Amino acid sequence: MTDPAKPLAELTLRSVILGGIITLLFTAANVYLGLKVGLTFATSIPAAVISMAILRQFSGSSILENNIVQTIASAAGTLAAIIFVLPGLVIIGWWQGFPFLLTAGITALGGTLGVMFSVPLRRALVVEGDLPYPEGRAAAEVLQIGSASNAGAAESAAGLRLLILGSVAAAGFAILTQMRLAAAEVGGWFRVGAGASGVSGGLSFALFGVGHLVGLSVGIAQLVGLVTAWFILLPILTAAQPMPGSVEDWGGAIFRQDVRFFGAGVIGVAAVWTLLRIARPVVGGVVSALAASRARHSGETLALQEKDLPIGVVAGVAMALLVPIAWLLWSVASVGPIAGSAAVLVGGALVFVVVIGLMIAAVTGYMAGLIGASNSPVSGIGILSIIAASLLLVGLFGRDLPPDTTAALVAYALIVTGLVFGIATIANDNLQDLKTGQLVGATPWKQQMALVIGVIFGSIVVPPVLDLLNTAFGFAGAPGAGPNALAAPQAGLISSLAKGVLGGDLNWSMLRWGALAGAIFVVIDELLGKLGRMRLPPLAIGIAIYLPMAVILPVVLGAFVGAFYDRWARRTADPVRAERMGTLVATGMIVGESLWGVAFAGIVAVSSSDAPLAVVGEGFAPLAAAGGALLFAVLIAWLYRTTRRAAVTSARSAA
């Protein structure tokens, strides 16, 4: 048995090694899937499950050690998002491949700076804030149940069974979708007068589970965004811009060209307002960190759960990182047609990275707390970053430049955005991990060190995987790309934005209208708050406008079903226990689909096939859609019915 007086193992060599191995594998898988379909999967929960299964075989393992493993490995799900920017350098023809030192340097320096910038935010957004942090809570539930079930607690055993049940259902359904026996998405397009719209829902247990965890307020806000995008904006815009071809191609093109830019405008205003709202608690968090540092130096003993990296170390590391960042930027700017302005470009970029990076770290940390790290629209932040960086370059150099100068400036803007993007993705993930740590009693500074380790591991694997995929497939829109080129949708969009700003043909109209709508949503949310009503977070509305309906609709449905379940739970003899059971089955949905995502990524990589498990052809699609939707609904109903029974039985046993 574990000696209760002895500190639990936490940041150990075996946790670093295991976390590093999982990070290398998950990062490679996420890079491939992200370039293929524009999405990555969250890695914290799968890493926690794998860690518990392996470390359980060793003596002295603890929940805190498992937490370190998932903290390190979580970098794979977020750091891989650098693929939303860097392939743009190949798409515009500036790079022919991915030079290891430069690619790893952009990834590692931006990611490490993201860890440093998010340290003082922990107290403001994690400890003193009331954000739900759905994935952080889910990871904590997994760790707590895995640890407690070893002690034989009856409730934990029942919860573990629900976790496994939800996981098996989610993974099993995902396997059926890859076999093409069930559709992964159902819906269709239709005409609305002279315009067009559509209805689409992903049959994703993971997204449904996230909806349960984020709660009804965010779910309703996302429903407002969904209605705004698909039943107001899209019919109006398509009616105003008739196009030849199918309704799907027509509507899809307008959504990508106009509606998403409207959503980006809403996100931009909501992000700025969010930053203003949290400015006071953020400053308070910095003051608390400084006070903790003074207390540490004066010899006062702090609880382990209150020990962040010392604020002096954080500031020193952040300042030190600016030296290699300056060298990296100089190596890019000092050659070619912009070499004469290299000093100005490097100085301006350093200020941009620090100022914008600090702002984005706060905003993405808040968004992760609101809807979860994997659903936080970091690509929307990338859009705003590339626009801001490109506008600064326009201010310095103007437009109507020679083509080679414009190309060099676009490449430089992409590299600067890559650094800021690294800050955004890691800050987005770091606070989620620190919420998990708070719930399981971890030591913050050890987790923050684990994040840096995860960044380094991930940075090592990103360049060779990118280079391999570029050599084998290429990227859509890049010079010489073949028929099997990977879509790289975000990288293509962000590189187009840079060229649009520097060339003067960006869709400013939709961004401005989106910004106006964002201001209106902010006012509505504040009025609801003053009236004591359920609030509608404007960031959640903007996210729902920006992302496809297939992603948003299952989250909305999950939020409503979760709210109905929680309402039932509050009427039971033990409401806390009943709500916890609901959280666990929702967590299981995320776990199962995430683990299968890892396995399928490996199958796809080995087979080099888009559908290696398909057993039926396209002719089966109508039956797969109808049967898949019915099976999805039946499984959801069965899972919640089973959860209710387990909650009642567990409460009776305890009584």
Side-chain angles (χ1 to χ4, degrees):
M1 294 182 63
T2 303
D3 182 359
K6 182 180 179 181
L8 295 177
E10 192 164 1
L11 185 59
T12 62
L13 179 60
R14 66 189 178 192
S15 68
V16 170
I17 293 173
L18 179 57
I21 293 171
I22 296 174
T23 299
L24 294 175
L25 296 174
F26 281 13
T27 301
N30 256 328
V31 167
Y32 179 85
L33 290 181
L35 290 171
K36 191 73 175 176
V37 299
L39 294 171
T40 57
F41 59 87
T43 55
S44 291
I45 292 172
V49 174
I50 294 170
S51 174
M52 287 187 295
I54 294 176
L55 292 184
R56 187 173 293 161
Q57 311 305 317
F58 297 87
S59 63
S61 64
S62 72
I63 186 174
L64 301 184
E65 195 174 16
N66 287 315
N67 181 54
I68 288 293
V69 174
Q70 74 84 18
T71 299
I72 293 173
S74 67
T78 50
L79 197 64
I82 197 71
I83 61 173
F84 296 162
V85 178
L86 293 187
L89 292 160
V90 173
I91 292 173
I92 66 172
W94 188 258
W95 281 1
Q96 305 305 311
F98 293 89
F100 180 85
L101 288 178
L102 192 53
T103 305
I106 294 170
T107 308
L109 291 169
T112 305
L113 206 54
V115 176
M116 297 301 112
F117 283 175
S118 62
V119 168
L121 298 175
R122 185 186 72 87
R123 294 173 184 271
L125 298 182
V126 174
V127 178
E128 299 167 7
D130 57 357
L131 296 170
Y133 285 99
E135 290 167 2
R137 287 172 52 202
E141 293 283 354
V142 171
L143 291 168
Q144 288 166 343
I145 289 298
S147 174
S149 63
N150 289 333
E155 180 191 351
S156 296
L160 183 58
R161 284 194 295 272
L162 285 175
L163 184 69
I164 294 172
L165 198 64
S167 299
V168 171
F173 188 85
I175 291 171
L176 290 178
T177 64
Q178 299 301 342
M179 296 173 71
R180 302 287 175 87
L181 296 174
E185 179 181 325
V186 293
W189 291 82
F190 48 83
R191 290 188 175 274
V192 181
S197 186
V199 174
S200 178
L203 301 180
S204 166
F205 278 85
L207 292 175
F208 193 95
V210 166
H212 180 124
L213 296 180
V214 298
L216 190 59
S217 176
V218 173
I220 293 177
Q222 296 211 310
L223 179 60
V224 170
L226 186 151
V227 170
T228 301
W230 290 86
F231 302 117
I232 298 176
L233 289 174
L234 198 57
I236 293 173
L237 293 172
T238 48
Q241 303 176 63
M243 294 183 182
S246 68
V247 176
E248 180 177 355
D249 293 341
W250 173 30
I254 297 299
F255 178 81
R256 291 187 297 271
Q257 296 168 10
D258 291 334
V259 176
R260 293 193 79 174
F261 280 94
F262 185 98
V266 175
I267 291 172
V269 168
V272 171
W273 177 249
T274 298
L275 183 64
L276 294 175
R277 281 190 62 197
I278 66 175
R280 180 179 295 178
V282 167
V283 171
V286 174
V287 171
S288 296
L290 290 169
S293 179
R294 289 193 298 269
R296 189 197 307 263
H297 287 301
S298 66
E300 182 180 335
T301 301
L302 294 174
L304 287 177
Q305 293 78 11
E306 293 299 318
K307 289 185 177 180
D308 291 290
L309 285 173
I311 195 67
V313 172
V314 170
V317 171
M319 293 297 293
L321 287 171
L322 295 181
V323 175
I325 288 175
W327 174 84
L328 184 151
L329 293 171
W330 180 264
S331 69
V332 174
S334 61
V335 295
I338 59 175
S341 305
V344 174
L345 286 169
V346 172
L350 287 176
V351 174
F352 183 85
V353 167
V354 172
V355 175
I356 301 298
L358 280 168
M359 294 173 60
I360 283 179
V363 171
T364 55
Y366 185 90
M367 288 194 298
L370 182 66
I371 61 165
S374 60
N375 294 291
S376 183
V378 179
S379 55
I381 296 298
I383 287 173
L384 298 174
S385 299
I386 193 65
I387 291 173
S390 301
L391 285 173
L392 287 176
L393 293 176
V394 169
L396 288 172
F397 292 89
R399 294 193 176 97
D400 300 323
L401 300 169
D404 59 339
T405 303
T406 300
L409 290 175
V410 169
Y412 190 76
L414 286 171
I415 289 172
V416 173
T417 300
L419 289 164
V420 173
F421 208 72
I423 295 171
T425 57
I426 291 300
N428 184 49
D429 172 67
N430 192 7
L431 294 175
Q432 199 80 245
D433 287 325
L434 291 171
K435 183 64 178 181
T436 301
Q438 181 202 24
L439 294 173
V440 302
T443 309
W445 75 264
K446 292 182 180 179
Q447 276 194 281
Q448 290 151 0
M449 288 297 299
L451 255 296
V452 174
I453 294 170
V455 166
I456 294 170
F457 278 124
S459 301
I460 292 171
V461 76
V462 165
V465 173
L466 277 174
D467 219 26
L468 175 65
L469 295 176
N470 180 49
T471 302
F473 305 112
F475 307 121
N484 298 318
L486 298 169
Q490 285 91 342
L493 173 61
I494 286 175
S495 58
S496 297
L497 283 171
K499 290 189 288 186
V501 172
L502 289 162
D505 55 355
L506 187 63
N507 191 350
W508 286 110
S509 175
M510 292 309 298
L511 282 172
R512 284 194 293 266
W513 281 112
L516 176 61
I520 294 172
F521 290 137
V522 165
V523 171
I524 292 172
D525 180 55
E526 291 300 312
L527 288 175
L528 289 172
K530 291 183 182 301
L531 293 173
R533 303 294 179 86
M534 180 181 291
R535 304 192 66 154
L536 298 177
L539 266 176
I541 297 175
I543 290 164
I545 296 172
Y546 178 78
L547 293 177
M549 184 189 290
V551 175
I552 295 299
L553 189 55
V555 177
V556 172
L557 293 175
F560 277 92
V561 172
F564 281 120
Y565 175 86
D566 287 342
R567 181 181 298 175
W568 168 85
R570 286 191 288 271
R571 298 195 301 267
T572 63
D574 191 343
V576 174
R577 183 191 300 264
E579 287 192 27
R580 178 181 172 89
M581 294 293 183
T583 299
L584 284 169
V585 78
T587 299
M589 297 179 197
I590 300 172
V591 169
E593 192 168 316
S594 298
L595 288 176
W596 169 247
V598 176
F600 184 67
I603 295 170
V604 169
V606 170
S607 65
S608 299
S609 169
D610 291 341
L613 301 183
V615 296
V616 294
E618 293 296 329
F620 193 76
L623 187 57
L630 179 61
L631 178 60
F632 185 82
V634 169
L635 284 174
I636 290 291
W638 174 70
L639 283 172
Y640 277 95
R641 184 180 180 186
T642 303
T643 303
R644 288 176 61 163
R645 287 178 175 174
V648 171
T649 302
S650 178
R652 286 175 180 169
S653 299

